[in-house]
């Protein structure tokens, strides 16, 4: 799948001067997927150099190209420095287009600024970035009547609206909000006939829609929505060339596997859960850590979640063991970016899997290891930077204390410690509007008080 990318590395790897001066893609963003993370970072630096040359033609366009590449670096690595560089390049491009009176270019650069905001909100959990992205998309949409920028803005606004209402409305509302993607995707398909870059944007829009549909279906326990998400993800994979768009293909396969696993969990079907886990494992077979570390780690977490659900359905400790291995592999990548909420999610899920293993096997040593690891993770988390992640970690720690109480039948301070942790988590969840998590924390507190 990544053979062509390896050939590019072999051909260009030794020619560092050419790489730093001209780049590997010549400004063609459709070729970025063929570069691994290391070559992609080199490409971003080459774009910066090309845009900064005194005699460079059309500097705003060169800055926009650099912004696109730096955003892809951030997307694959979770590197906040790369995201800041992307945002700075997009801002400079927008200023250049505005000074030249080029409305289409300015709108496209504004969309790029918005995409940086959406990416930051997604991987760093900052809602302020999503609000800034919405403003940028609206600015871009109001300045043009049609074309690539208008369709991109419509997709972005539809995604933001759907994310804000995720799990809060009905299935009918979900379908209505997701239908907002149809017109801009059709428009992007039309624009792609004359603007090649629109094809990748259309593919990404389909993935966003399928992913949101899967998330809505899982939140609302709606099997029909999950089936539709699986179909749309499969269709998105069929519409791209696996050889030239390996990451888009792999991402589509991941969404497909997530939807299958979620459907199995919703209806309690072990076979469907296993099918979802198998689909995610297949996606991992076609995705390398060097090519996109963050995609690889996310897929490991998704596979771990599917195996965890499989363990709950089958009461098989081996499924939890395999899930722990997935979370551990993801942790090796995520430890280089400690500010990512995904790291806390993986650590918390790992602790829960160890708890379930200990409960099934009666092995207290497993519980001891889980408690120690959870305390270490809590020490690394910042309630100011990632309050919800910190609250989740507190809730997971309380779960460990509760499991120890159930296993030993002796209270050596675990009940009080668990109640303190849950009280702290409840404060955070209430402050940040996490209703479902607040309910879970309240139920756990009630259980512990009843058992006193």
């Amino acid at each position: 799948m990544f053979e062509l990318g390896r050939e590019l590395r072999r051909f260009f790897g030794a020619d560092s001067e050419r790489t730093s001066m001209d780049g590997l893609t010549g400004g063609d963003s459709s070729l970025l997927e063929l570069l691994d993370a290391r070559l992609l970072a080199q490409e971003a630096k080459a774009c910066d150099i090309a845009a900064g040359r005194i005699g460079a033609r059309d500097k705003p366009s060169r800055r926009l190209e650099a912004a696109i590449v730096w955003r892809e670096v951030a997307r694959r690595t979770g590197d906040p420095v790369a995201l800041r560089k992307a945002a700075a390049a997009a801002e400079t491009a927008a200023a250049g287009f505005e000074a030249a009176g080029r409305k289409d270019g300015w709108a496209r650069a504004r969309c790029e600024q918005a995409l940086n905001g959406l990416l930051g909100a997604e991987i760093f959990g900052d809602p302020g970035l999503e609000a800034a992205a919405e403003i940028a998309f609206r600015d871009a949409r109001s300045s043009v009547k049609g074309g690539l920028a208008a369709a991109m803005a419509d997709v972005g606004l539809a995604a933001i609206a759907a994310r804000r209402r995720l799990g809060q409305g009905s299935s009918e509302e979900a379908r209505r909000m997701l239908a907002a993607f149809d017109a801009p995707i059709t428009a992007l398909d039309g624009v792609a006939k004359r603007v090649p870059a629109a094809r990748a944007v259309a593919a990404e829009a389909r993935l966003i829609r399928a992913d949101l549909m899967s998330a809505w279906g899982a939140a609302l326990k709606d099997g029909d929505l999950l089936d539709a998400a699986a179909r749309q993800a499969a269709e998105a994979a069929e519409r791209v060339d696996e050889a030239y768009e390996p990451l888009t293909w792999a991402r589509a396969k991941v969404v497909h596997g997530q939807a299958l696993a979620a459907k199995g969990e919703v209806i309690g079907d072990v076979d469907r859960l296993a099918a979802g886990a198998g689909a995610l494992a297949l996606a991992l077979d076609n995705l390398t850590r060097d090519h996109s570390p963050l995609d690889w780690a996310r897929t490991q977490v998704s596979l771990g979640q599917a195996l965890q659900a499989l363990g709950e359905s089958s009461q098989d400790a081996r499924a939890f063991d395999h899930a722990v291995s997935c979370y551990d592999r993801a942790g090796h990548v995520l430890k280089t970016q400690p500010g990512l909420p995904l790291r806390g999610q993986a650590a918390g899920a790992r602790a829960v899997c160890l708890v379930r293993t200990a409960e099934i096997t009666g092995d207290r040593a497993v519980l001891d290891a889980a408690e120690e690891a959870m305390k270490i993770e809590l020490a690394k988390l910042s309630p100011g930077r990632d309050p919800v992640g910190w609250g989740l970690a507190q809730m997971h720690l309380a779960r460990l204390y509760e499991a120890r109480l159930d296993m030993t039948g002796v209270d050596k301070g675990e009940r009080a410690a668990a109640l303190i942790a849950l009280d702290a988590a409840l404060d955070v969840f209430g402050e940040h509007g996490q209703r479902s998590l607040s309910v879970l924390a309240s139920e756990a507190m009630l259980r512990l008080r009843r058992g006193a």
Side-chain angles (χ1 to χ4, degrees), residues 140-408:
R141 189 65 183 91
S142 64
S143 68
V144 290
K145 294 182 179 179
L148 177 58
M152 289 178 69
D154 286 340
V155 168
L157 291 170
I160 291 171
R163 285 177 182 174
R164 284 183 177 164
R165 291 289 298 162
L166 184 60
Q168 297 180 18
S170 63
S171 298
E172 291 71 23
E173 182 182 357
R175 289 179 172 84
R176 187 172 61 255
M177 299 194 82
L178 293 167
F181 284 88
D182 296 345
I185 288 175
T186 300
L188 285 168
D189 288 337
V191 174
K193 296 174 182 177
R194 62 181 187 278
V195 182
R199 185 173 183 275
V201 179
E204 181 64 22
R206 287 186 171 88
L207 280 185
I208 293 172
R209 180 175 62 183
D211 189 39
L212 282 167
M213 188 173 290
S214 179
W216 271 90
L220 298 176
K221 310 298 183 186
D222 188 321
D224 290 338
L225 270 178
L226 289 167
D227 284 337
R231 288 195 301 271
Q232 290 195 8
E235 179 187 346
E238 291 172 0
R239 295 176 70 97
V240 299
D241 188 334
E242 180 184 351
Y244 288 91
E245 299 159 293
L247 279 178
T248 299
W249 184 89
R251 287 164 180 160
K253 289 296 184 181
V254 169
V255 175
H256 180 250
Q258 288 172 332
L260 290 177
K263 174 67 181 289
E265 187 174 6
V266 165
I267 66 175
D269 189 328
V270 174
D271 290 337
R272 281 183 178 267
L273 267 171
L280 289 166
L282 180 62
L284 270 173
D285 287 341
N286 291 278
L287 182 64
T288 67
R289 176 176 169 178
D290 289 340
H291 205 84
S292 182
L294 193 53
D295 279 302
W296 186 83
R298 278 176 169 163
T299 308
Q300 291 285 358
V301 171
S302 294
L303 178 56
Q305 290 170 337
L307 290 168
Q308 186 175 344
L310 190 60
E312 292 289 358
S313 296
S314 63
Q315 293 297 300
D316 188 342
R318 291 173 299 177
F320 291 112
D321 288 339
H322 291 313
V324 168
S325 296
C326 290
Y327 295 133
D328 284 340
R329 286 192 287 271
H332 287 306
V333 170
L334 298 173
K335 67 181 179 182
T336 62
Q337 300 294 347
L340 299 182
L342 184 63
R343 175 179 174 173
Q345 294 169 16
R350 180 185 186 276
V352 171
C353 286
L354 290 173
V355 167
R356 296 295 292 122
T357 301
E359 289 174 341
I360 292 172
T361 62
D363 189 344
R364 294 186 198 175
V366 175
L367 205 57
D368 293 337
E371 184 178 330
E372 182 179 356
M374 198 69 255
K375 287 179 178 178
I376 292 172
E377 189 62 32
L378 251 176
K380 295 176 182 176
L381 289 172
S382 167
R385 185 173 55 188
D386 181 16
V388 175
W390 182 84
L392 276 170
Q394 292 284 2
M395 195 162 71
H396 292 320
L397 182 61
R399 179 72 180 86
L400 289 167
Y401 288 138
E402 186 180 3
R404 186 178 297 281
L405 275 172
D406 292 340
M407 287 181 67
T408 64

